[in-house]
Amino acid sequence: MTQQLHFERHLLGGSERPLRLAFIVDPLDRLKAWKDSSVALMRAAQSHGHDVYAVEAPTLGWRKPEADHPGGTFGEAIHLHLRPDDHDWYRETQREWLPLKAFDAVLMRKDPPVDSEYLAASALLERAEADGVRVFNRPRALRDHAAKLAILEFPQFIPSTKVSRDLGRLQQFIDEQRDVIVKPLDSNSGSRIFRLHRNDPNRNVILETLTGNGRHTVMAQQYLQAIAQGDKRILLIAGKAVPWCLARIPKAGETRGNLSAGGTGVVQELTPGERHIADALGPLLLKRGLLLVGLDLIGERLTGINVTSPTGMVEIRQQSGFDAAGATITAIEHACAVS
């Protein structure tokens, strides 16, 4: 039995009918089909025989139900035909304003940052969920786990960490650890992340800048030498870890493994320690309504929980053959069949 079949065996009993699936995404012209997991998910949905619609996040809205209008959450739905050409990857076949109740399931795939617009979108999706719409991941769970602070629930798996806006406490932590990573809580794609040594002559000004002179809370973590072997992205689908992870290895002279910062993506099988963490968190996060999750690990230490729009599916399939996007669609089929 292949790894794919073994992975999907626990999801048997999925929907046998075509589904109408709406993907809440950033504007389509911003998506890079050759690497974007949202595009991979849409292609997988089409290959499974489902109707694929994109709803660009800025079009989401809500109207009070009235006698002449059903009301609820709605958006401009773009019916897509997906193509294999990464430079010309879709055809728009129809565009109309629809209530989200018109779909069998809605997948929230808007990218960070988790700003006021993201929170507004999640609130609108929560109204849709109250009307009976299946939303993956659940909007409340997105808000509860969207910040970097989600890892604090699992102190047994994380490196030495300090969260504060107090400059004195942060300075003390740097003195204790000697070598740390400092990052704002709203950073993404490796932006505004600094490595600070105890004797760094710029440490004061960097802390002052990141905290806005003590007005903004930041996270400081022990620097992990294992970053040289990669910042690992592990995907959880319906509570189960994909057997392959994407190791994002920093380029020479860089401390960040993010691909957007020049890192190299190398797909690797999970180690026993990585699988232990994934197995511990997977069922718990699924119970909270998080069907698709990206765990970030460095040296078998948990450094992030990504629930907004986990990536890495394209690289994992290219290098291992494992179709994480297809497995996610199978999980959604199963959820639609049993709910």
Side-chain angles (χ1 to χ4, degrees):
M1 179 180 291
T2 67
Q3 285 185 317
Q4 187 85 33
L5 290 174
H6 180 75
F7 183 90
E8 295 189 16
R9 185 172 58 184
H10 71 296
L11 298 174
L12 293 178
S15 174
E16 295 182 356
R17 63 180 177 85
L19 302 175
R20 298 182 86 194
L21 301 179
F23 292 78
I24 310 299
V25 293
D26 291 299
L28 292 174
D29 59 6
R30 298 184 192 174
L31 304 186
K32 299 177 175 61
W34 59 90
K35 68 173 184 176
D36 196 291
S37 291
S38 293
V39 176
L41 285 165
M42 289 189 278
R43 284 172 166 164
Q46 179 175 282
S47 72
H48 281 221
H50 306 307
D51 284 325
V52 175
Y53 293 78
V55 177
E56 295 183 351
T59 74
L60 285 174
W62 183 89
R63 178 171 172 172
K64 177 182 175 180
E66 296 173 327
D68 60 343
H69 196 283
T73 302
F74 59 88
E76 188 178 34
I78 307 169
H79 189 234
L80 299 180
H81 173 71
L82 285 303
R83 293 164 44 83
D85 184 348
D86 286 338
H87 299 285
D88 184 18
W89 60 274
Y90 73 92
R91 291 285 186 269
E92 176 182 329
T93 62
Q94 188 177 8
R95 183 185 290 245
E96 59 183 321
W97 290 89
L98 290 174
L100 296 191
K101 288 184 287 188
F103 299 99
D104 293 291
V106 173
L107 287 74
M108 176 52 157
R109 291 291 303 177
K110 175 173 167 47
D111 284 338
V114 181
D115 53 13
S116 60
E117 285 301 312
Y118 188 97
L119 295 175
S122 74
L124 293 172
L125 290 174
E126 191 166 20
R127 289 300 86 217
E129 188 179 50
D131 290 336
V133 179
R134 301 177 186 89
V135 182
F136 305 101
N137 290 320
R138 292 194 66 183
R140 183 173 295 275
L142 286 175
R143 294 197 298 273
D144 288 346
H145 298 82
K148 288 181 168 55
L149 299 179
I151 66 169
L152 304 185
E153 183 180 355
F154 309 103
Q156 69 273 34
F157 297 132
I158 69 175
S160 295
T161 299
K162 184 84 162 187
V163 177
S164 181
R165 67 170 67 180
D166 185 282
L167 294 173
R169 293 182 179 275
L170 291 168
Q171 295 281 18
Q172 181 184 27
F173 183 77
I174 295 171
D175 287 335
E176 292 171 355
Q177 297 297 321
R178 297 178 177 271
D179 194 358
V180 303
I181 294 292
V182 185
K183 50 193 171 185
L185 298 181
D186 62 350
S187 66
N188 60 284
S189 300
S191 65
R192 295 180 294 154
I193 293 178
F194 290 85
R195 180 182 179 184
L196 285 177
H197 295 270
R198 181 180 184 183
N199 297 322
D200 193 321
N202 295 308
R203 62 185 266 186
N204 291 341
V205 68
I206 289 174
L207 289 179
E208 290 165 3
T209 300
L210 287 178
T211 65
N213 288 310
R215 294 191 301 274
H216 306 298
T217 302
V218 300
M219 175 178 286
Q221 289 183 314
Q222 170 194 15
Y223 175 75
L224 299 172
Q225 297 288 341
I227 185 61
Q229 285 76 53
D231 178 356
K232 309 281 187 71
R233 165 60 57 84
I234 298 173
L235 293 174
L236 302 178
I237 301 173
K240 185 176 177 63
V242 169
W244 300 84
C245 69
L246 177 64
R248 298 161 294 187
I249 301 173
K251 66 181 180 180
E254 178 61 79
T255 60
R256 300 168 298 170
N258 306 77
L259 302 184
S260 59
T264 301
V266 179
V267 172
Q268 303 172 354
E269 289 194 83
L270 268 59
T271 67
E274 292 162 353
R275 186 173 291 280
H276 170 70
I277 295 173
D279 290 346
L281 271 61
L284 174 64
L285 296 176
L286 176 62
K287 187 176 181 180
R288 295 175 182 176
L290 295 168
L291 181 130
L292 179 60
V293 177
L295 302 181
D296 292 336
L297 279 77
I298 298 174
E300 299 185 351
R301 288 291 179 181
L302 180 67
T303 59
I305 299 176
N306 186 303
V307 300
T308 52
S309 55
T311 61
M313 293 181 177
V314 175
E315 294 89 349
I316 289 173
R317 184 170 190 179
Q318 288 173 342
Q319 297 184 38
S320 74
F322 188 93
D323 184 8
T328 302
I329 298 302
T330 298
I332 290 169
E333 291 168 349
H334 176 75
C336 290
V338 301
S339 61

